[in-house]
């Protein structure tokens, strides 16, 4: 893997100053190098003008920007020029979850916004977040307490400054949501009703019955739809970021997208881009994420030279309903896993392996009531030991009425597939749920790529550390989406669009020339390859890891990727061709490799990352894992931007 | 003596979550419920512990609320939505019916977990 990975020592500063030139060309292993200082951003852009583009970056916000502001109306319409399949916007947002929408609503007051989303706008991880949002909203609660809970959950790998910012600004973000029309449960005294979730030492979870995410998404979408400055491009799949080199800096100018309904490529040129594309659950076979979560943003950012961090910390839930264990398997693959609550174990459920051996007492004296991560590891260990696909959770020894009244949802779901949970054990398997790592972001959501900001699950802000505290993900998305607004506006005002820029990058190509037979074959193979990748990830990069298993994963993934790419190109696929399934596959490969590399780099066990050959915490390793971009001259189709393939003349 | 065993009985009954109309329509539910109601009414009249009474009343209230199928027992108007459930114990309006979703640390509804 041509990636350089380093531990960043000392304080986790939001800016990282490193020499792009050096790390660009070499694949170096840097065991412990301290990076200090800040990348000069925002207020002190260099006034260098790139050879290719007329991007004017000025130190002061002069009258030119005032002019823009005055001619606000005309700026909007003239910015939205159509040049065939090229669109021009001040701001481009990739993803329509809470982070993307929240950001869009703010920046729309200052310019034109395009929201690019790969399916229906409400199809995002946000929509499935049924728990709540955590914030300090109770007089007896405190920011310090929320911070402490977050840091403890994060196994002390969190960036303290980030934690402070998020916990402090959270309450205001909630109030804003309410002002925007989101309705949360309240008490009869009129105050917000706050629940207390595991890991929190106070009641601080704001929620809307049991569909908080959906409620927030609904309120934001309504506002977005009513905003004349925001254009939503649904069923537009983002392919690659459009970037150029300005000296040692990488600059983002927009994004190429594929309209999956019309099979047309659309190029978006924008002054500012926000990546809010969510997680990558589908690198694993069992995940709670909807199908759209294929790590597109993380992959695009990595290909665009953005720094990635902490990808080894993947949050799994120990007991998701295992479809393979159901008597009547679901006709079509369940899109997102059905998680079985902790309450089943709390109410007396017992875990067995397929030989009907109760295994939890072997791992922990608390047996089934051990902490969730212990249970997850134990189940994973059992599955690997016995080479099985799932374990059994048995609650059938409890009174039938209690089971049916406490867990009607599980009872129904299982009954529909031929399983009576009052008589038989429930097949369960751990499911991937959340990515704590992602594109490294500073306190303003900025990345090392100029003009590229990130927010939400795709970002690694330092909030979650080695493990996410319950209900902190929606909070992180809200806070960072808001924080990225002002820097984005500043950046936007100090840039100007060169309307001829759109011809600087080779356009992606829709594979019409291949014919339907070949496409059919390619799609079929791609589907199989995806399953194979997921299987490798689960088997070798699961909950319990080891150096040897991770190295095997690296090997196997490398071979699989080569096999897949060879197949494609042998069948006439060209470097710049795009199709939804193929692009998702290359993103999945990219993310999988990032997870494996990061996991290999951490020689300790911390939070979600557990290594049998390094089973303990190491204070000296309490540092984030950072992956720097790799050279463009080597690497696979999946690791290069579409428009920067070797046969094309390099931009640099 | 009677009081202790009654409170113990009460405690064991209240340990299990408040039964709500189950979707699979188990008939034994209503039997349990009415038995529970009569016991708690008895407890109400003889017990001196105010804590128990308060809890019991709210539990009973919860059952009734669930039983009457979403009818709001609270006179106070909520946000104009008809039939918003009010949790007697916590005063939560429009909240999830049944046991507290976070009682085991994760966010749980009817057995399905969505956050942890």
């Amino acid at each position: 893997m041509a990636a350089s990975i380093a531990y960043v020592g000392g304080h986790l500063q939001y800016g990282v100053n490193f020499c792009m030139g050096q790390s660009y060309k070499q694949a170096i292993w840097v065991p412990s190098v301290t990076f200090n200082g800040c990348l000069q951003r925002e207020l002190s852009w260099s006034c260098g003008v790139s050879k290719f583009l007329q991007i004017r970056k000025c130190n002061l916000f002069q009258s030119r920007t005032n002019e823009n502001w005055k001619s606000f109306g005309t700026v909007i319409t003239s910015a939205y020029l159509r040049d065939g399949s090229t669109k021009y916007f001040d701001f481009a947002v990739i993803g329509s979850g809470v982070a993307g929408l929240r950001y869009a609503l703010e920046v729309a007051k200052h310019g034109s916004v395009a929201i690019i989303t790969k399916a229906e706008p409400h199809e995002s991880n946000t929509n499935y977040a049924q728990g709540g949002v955590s914030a300090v909203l109770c007089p007896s609660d405190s920011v310090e307490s929320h911070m402490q809970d977050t840091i403890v959950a994060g196994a002390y790998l969190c960036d303290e400054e980030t934690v402070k910012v998020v916990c402090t600004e959270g309450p205001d973000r909630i109030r804003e949501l309410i002002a925007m029309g989101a309705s949360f449960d309240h008490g009869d005294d009129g105050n917000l009703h706050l629940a207390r979730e595991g890991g929190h030492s106070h009641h601080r979870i704001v929620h809307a019955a049991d569909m908080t995410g959906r409620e927030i998404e609904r309120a934001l979408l309504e506002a977005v739809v009513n905003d004349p400055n925001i254009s939503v491009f649904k069923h537009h799949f983002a392919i690659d970021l459009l970037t150029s080199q300005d000296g040692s800096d990488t600059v983002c100018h927009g994004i190429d997208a594929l309209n999956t309904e019309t099979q047309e490529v659309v190029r978006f040129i924008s002054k500012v881009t926000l990546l809010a594309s969510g997680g990558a659950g589908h690198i694993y076979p069992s995940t709670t994420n909807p199908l759209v979560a294929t790590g597109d943003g993380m992959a695009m950012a990595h290909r665009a030279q953005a720094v990635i961090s902490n990808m080894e910390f993947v949050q799994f839930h120990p007991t998701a309903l295992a479809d393979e264990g159901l008597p009547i398997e679901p006709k079509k693959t369940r899109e997102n896993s059905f998680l079985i609550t902790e309450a089943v174990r709390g109410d007396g459920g017992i875990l067995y392996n397929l030989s009907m051996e109760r295994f939890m007492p072997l791992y922990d004296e608390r047996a089934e009531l051990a902490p969730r991560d212990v249970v997850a590891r134990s189940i994973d260990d059992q599955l690997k030991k016995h080479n099985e696909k799932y374990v059994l959770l048995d609650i059938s020894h409890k009174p039938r009425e209690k089971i049916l009244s406490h867990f009607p949802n599980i009872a129904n779901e299982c009954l529909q597939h031929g399983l009576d949970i009052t008589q038989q054990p429930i097949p369960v398997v751990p499911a991937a749920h959340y990515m704590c790592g992602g594109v490294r972001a500073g306190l303003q959501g900025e990345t090392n790529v100029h003009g590229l900001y990130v927010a939400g699950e795709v970002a690694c802000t330092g909030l979650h550390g080695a493990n996410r505290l319950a209900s902190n993900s929606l909070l992180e998305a809200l806070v960072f989406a808001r924080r990225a607004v002002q820097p984005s506006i500043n950046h936007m005002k100090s840039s100007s669009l060169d309307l001829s820029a759109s011809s600087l990058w080779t356009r992606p190509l829709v594979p019409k020339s291949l014919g339907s037979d070949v496409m059919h074959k390619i799609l079929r193979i791609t589907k199989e390859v995806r399953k194979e990748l997921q299987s490798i990830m689960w088997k070798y990069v699961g909950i319990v890891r080891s150096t040897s298993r991770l190295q095997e994963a690296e090997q196997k993934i490398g071979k699989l990727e080569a096999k897949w790419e060879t197949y494609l190109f042998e069948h006439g696929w060209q470097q710049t061709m795009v199709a939804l399934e193929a692009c998702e596959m290359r993103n999945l490969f990219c993310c999988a490799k990032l997870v494996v590399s990061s996991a290999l780099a951490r020689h300790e066990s911390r939070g979600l990352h557990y290594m049998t050959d390094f089973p303990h915490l190491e204070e000296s390793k309490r540092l984030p894992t950072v992956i720097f971009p790799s050279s463009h001259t080597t690497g696979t189709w999946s690791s290069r931007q579409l428009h920067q393939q070797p046969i094309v003349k390099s931009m640099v | 003596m009677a009081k202790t065993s009654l409170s113990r009985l009460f405690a064991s009954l209240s340990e299990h979550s408040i039964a709500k109309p189950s979707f699979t329509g188990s008939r034994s539910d209503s039997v349990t419920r009415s038995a529970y109601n009569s016991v708690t009414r008895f407890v109400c009249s003889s017990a001196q512990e105010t804590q128990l009474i308060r809890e019991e009343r709210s539990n009973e209230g919860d059952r009734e609320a669930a039983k009457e199928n979403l009818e709001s027992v609270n006179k106070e108007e909520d946000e104009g939505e008809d039939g918003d459930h009010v949790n007697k114990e916590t005063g939560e309006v429009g909240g999830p019916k049944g046991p507290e979703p976070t009682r085991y640390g994760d966010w749980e509804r009817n057995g399905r977990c969505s956050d942890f």
Side-chain angles (χ1 to χ4, degrees):
Chain A
M1 244 157 262
S4 53
I5 302 158
Y7 282 118
V8 180
H11 292 295
L12 275 170
Q13 303 208 330
Y14 68 83
V16 174
N17 189 18
F18 51 89
C19 182
M20 274 300 299
Q22 282 174 0
S23 56
Y24 195 80
K25 293 199 176 62
Q26 299 167 44
I28 31 170
W29 172 272
V30 190
S32 51
V33 177
T34 308
F35 287 80
N36 291 309
C38 298
L39 199 55
Q40 302 303 300
R41 289 199 174 102
E42 293 149 17
L43 299 174
S44 52
W45 297 114
S46 69
C47 281
V49 175
S50 112
K51 279 186 274 173
F52 303 95
L53 296 161
Q54 313 293 310
I55 300 286
R56 260 171 300 217
K57 296 173 245 171
C58 302
N59 279 334
L60 304 167
F61 305 128
Q62 291 156 350
S63 55
R64 190 179 61 79
T65 53
N66 287 337
E67 272 169 37
N68 281 347
W69 187 248
K70 277 188 214 140
S71 59
F72 189 62
T74 53
V75 164
I76 303 297
T77 48
S78 68
Y80 187 166
L81 287 176
R82 290 199 59 167
D83 162 27
S85 48
T86 304
K87 300 194 199 297
Y88 299 83
F89 285 89
D90 294 314
F91 304 93
V93 175
I94 301 163
S96 56
V98 63
L101 298 182
R102 183 70 190 84
Y103 173 89
L105 286 168
E106 280 309 314
V107 296
K109 300 171 189 167
H110 299 270
S112 57
V113 185
I115 295 181
I116 299 159
T117 188
K118 69 195 264 194
E120 288 294 315
H122 60 264
E123 198 57 35
S124 63
N125 272 358
T126 298
N127 213 41
Y128 291 81
Q130 289 168 38
V133 190
S134 56
V136 175
L137 289 160
C138 179
S140 63
D141 194 2
S142 69
V143 168
E144 286 72 34
S145 168
H146 191 184
M147 282 180 63
Q148 183 62 16
D149 291 341
T150 301
I151 291 168
V152 166
Y156 298 91
L157 198 68
C158 311
D159 176 35
E160 263 193 61
E161 219 185 323
T162 305
V163 176
K164 183 165 188 194
V165 155
V166 174
C167 296
T168 306
E169 298 182 1
D172 279 340
R173 301 290 85 81
I174 305 290
R175 291 186 193 108
E176 274 161 19
L177 275 183
I178 295 170
M180 270 183 224
S183 66
F184 298 113
D185 294 351
H186 55 276
D188 48 13
D189 57 356
N191 289 326
L192 283 170
H193 180 266
L194 304 168
R196 182 174 160 179
E197 220 173 334
H200 290 272
S201 41
H202 275 267
H203 284 253
R204 60 171 78 101
I205 314 297
V206 176
H207 55 278
D210 58 352
M211 16 166 263
T212 308
R214 213 183 310 166
E215 172 56 21
I216 295 176
E217 182 79 12
R218 178 206 64 77
L220 292 175
L221 263 178
E222 203 175 304
V224 159
V225 157
N226 291 327
D227 192 315
N229 285 350
I230 303 179
S231 310
V232 179
F233 295 89
K234 51 185 186 171
H235 298 288
H236 279 63
F237 175 86
I239 301 163
D240 263 316
L241 295 168
L242 299 169
T243 54
S244 69
Q245 291 300 121
D246 180 15
S248 58
D249 294 333
T250 307
V251 186
C252 179
H253 304 284
I255 178 123
D256 272 340
L258 171 69
N259 181 334
T260 54
E261 286 182 321
T262 63
Q263 291 302 309
E264 279 169 352
V265 169
V266 183
R267 175 159 284 182
F268 291 87
I269 302 290
S270 59
K271 297 176 185 173
V272 178
T273 306
L274 178 87
L275 203 49
S277 48
H282 282 271
I283 57 176
Y284 289 100
S286 181
T287 174
T288 56
N289 294 181
L291 283 171
V292 293
T294 50
D296 305 327
M298 289 162 189
M300 284 193 291
H302 178 63
R303 290 193 290 262
Q305 312 294 292
V307 175
I308 308 290
S309 187
N310 287 353
M311 287 293 280
E312 67 270 39
F313 300 110
V314 182
Q315 192 175 44
F316 284 85
H317 188 276
T319 51
L321 186 61
D323 288 332
E324 315 102 308
L326 294 169
I328 307 167
E329 263 198 69
K331 285 189 204 72
K332 58 176 194 132
T333 328
R334 190 191 299 277
E335 274 187 24
N336 56 325
S337 296
F338 186 116
L339 295 183
I340 309 258
T341 177
E342 199 119 359
V344 172
R345 280 177 280 127
D347 271 7
I350 309 284
L351 284 163
Y352 297 99
N353 60 28
L354 291 185
S355 315
M356 288 314 283
E357 292 163 336
R358 185 181 178 185
F359 55 85
M360 277 314 300
L362 300 171
Y363 296 93
D364 195 291
E365 59 193 9
R366 293 164 287 192
E368 279 77 12
L369 298 179
R372 193 184 307 118
D373 54 333
V374 174
V375 175
R377 266 180 251 140
S378 311
I379 294 177
D380 192 57
D381 193 53
Q382 284 289 305
L383 293 175
K384 303 290 190 282
K385 270 202 174 69
H386 303 286
N387 199 17
E388 279 158 3
K389 292 213 151 83
Y390 53 89
V391 294
L392 302 167
L393 178 57
D394 196 3
I395 189 98
S396 62
H397 52 281
K398 287 287 168 182
R400 184 188 152 82
E401 314 81 55
K402 291 282 185 307
I403 299 173
L404 294 176
S405 71
H406 292 191
F407 312 121
N409 216 335
I410 310 179
N412 273 340
E413 187 64 32
C414 289
L415 204 59
Q416 276 176 39
H417 296 102
L419 190 101
D420 182 355
I421 68 171
T422 65
Q423 307 272 327
Q424 303 156 276
I426 310 165
V428 294
V429 69
H433 182 71
Y434 186 85
M435 305 285 301
C436 297
V439 184
R440 192 171 165 85
L443 284 174
Q444 316 292 330
E446 78 274 25
T447 65
N448 58 300
V449 175
H450 289 216
L452 181 69
Y453 296 81
V454 285
E457 194 175 347
V458 69
C460 181
T461 62
L463 176 73
H464 305 307
N467 193 357
R468 177 188 68 94
L469 177 65
S471 298
N472 264 6
S473 48
L474 286 174
L475 178 68
E476 182 195 36
L478 285 169
V479 170
F480 273 85
R482 188 65 187 77
R483 284 181 75 87
V485 167
Q486 195 54 53
S488 298
I489 294 169
N490 296 347
H491 184 96
M492 187 274 289
K493 287 185 174 162
S494 63
S495 343
S496 62
L497 288 173
D498 178 359
L499 301 186
S500 66
S502 73
S503 56
L504 285 167
W505 304 273
T506 320
R507 256 175 210 273
L509 193 63
V510 172
K512 288 198 188 91
S513 58
L514 293 183
S516 60
D517 275 348
V518 171
M519 269 315 288
H520 229 72
K521 279 196 190 139
I522 286 178
L523 291 181
R524 195 175 41 105
I525 288 288
T526 302
K527 211 167 170 176
E528 283 168 27
V529 167
R530 182 193 279 221
K531 283 209 179 79
E532 182 64 34
L533 174 68
Q534 290 169 340
S535 173
I536 295 169
M537 286 303 287
W538 177 236
K539 201 168 172 193
Y540 298 96
V541 199
I543 301 168
V544 177
R545 301 164 177 170
S546 70
T547 306
S548 57
R549 286 188 96 91
L550 291 171
Q551 284 169 340
E552 250 206 274
E554 214 172 33
Q555 290 284 317
K556 286 185 181 303
I557 294 172
K559 285 204 184 98
L560 185 66
E561 190 183 7
K563 195 178 93 170
W564 176 65
E565 291 189 1
T566 306
Y567 187 91
L568 251 57
F569 293 119
E570 270 174 1
H571 283 76
W573 190 269
Q574 287 169 49
Q575 307 264 12
T576 52
M577 277 182 176
V578 289
L580 175 65
E581 297 79 359
C583 291
E584 281 185 338
M585 194 68 242
R586 73 195 268 263
N587 292 339
L588 289 168
F589 270 122
C590 186
C591 286
K593 290 190 292 187
L594 289 169
V595 172
V596 176
S597 304
S598 306
L600 276 167
R602 183 166 294 277
H603 293 179
E604 63 154 358
S605 290
R606 186 180 292 272
L608 297 165
H609 177 68
Y610 183 83
M611 295 279 271
T612 53
D613 37 356
F614 306 107
H616 305 291
L617 275 173
E618 291 281 330
E619 180 55 29
S620 63
K621 304 236 161 39
R622 191 166 65 84
L623 303 160
T625 308
V626 180
I627 298 185
F628 293 104
S630 50
S631 162
H632 272 193
T633 56
T634 60
T636 57
W637 182 63
S638 310
S639 57
R640 291 188 303 264
Q641 287 173 306
L642 221 67
H643 48 76
Q644 276 190 324
Q645 303 299 328
I647 51 167
V648 178
K649 230 197 290 184
S650 166
M651 286 286 295
V652 180
Chain B
M1 208 62 235
K3 187 186 129 194
T4 338
S5 56
L6 266 172
S7 34
R8 229 182 285 129
L9 169 66
F10 174 81
S12 68
L13 278 172
S14 64
E15 242 167 44
H16 301 291
S17 57
I18 298 107
K20 49 202 177 300
S22 87
F23 298 140
T24 50
S26 163
R27 217 173 291 145
S28 55
D29 244 357
S30 46
V31 173
T32 328
R33 236 180 292 139
S34 55
Y36 184 93
N37 281 344
S38 54
V39 167
T40 54
R41 251 176 260 128
F42 183 69
V43 169
C44 189
S45 60
S46 62
Q48 268 136 49
E49 278 244 346
T50 48
Q51 175 63 28
L52 272 173
I53 292 172
R54 216 185 303 130
E55 224 183 293
E56 169 267 320
R57 278 216 188 105
S58 68
N59 284 340
E60 203 179 326
D62 254 319
R63 289 180 176 293
E64 276 174 20
K67 205 172 155 189
E68 280 156 42
N69 216 39
L70 305 181
E71 249 179 46
S72 177
V73 203
N74 199 329
K75 297 266 161 45
E76 186 164 329
E77 277 290 279
D78 45 343
E79 278 161 68
E81 268 212 272
D82 257 329
D84 249 1
H85 173 255
V86 180
N87 186 317
K88 288 299 259 182
E89 194 175 301
T90 61
E92 182 182 0
V93 176
K97 290 163 284 297
E100 172 55 37
T102 58
R103 69 195 186 287
Y104 277 104
D106 60 3
W107 191 276
E108 173 268 340
R109 293 295 299 137
N110 298 328
R112 187 169 191 174
C113 160
S114 53
D115 187 36
F116 53 97

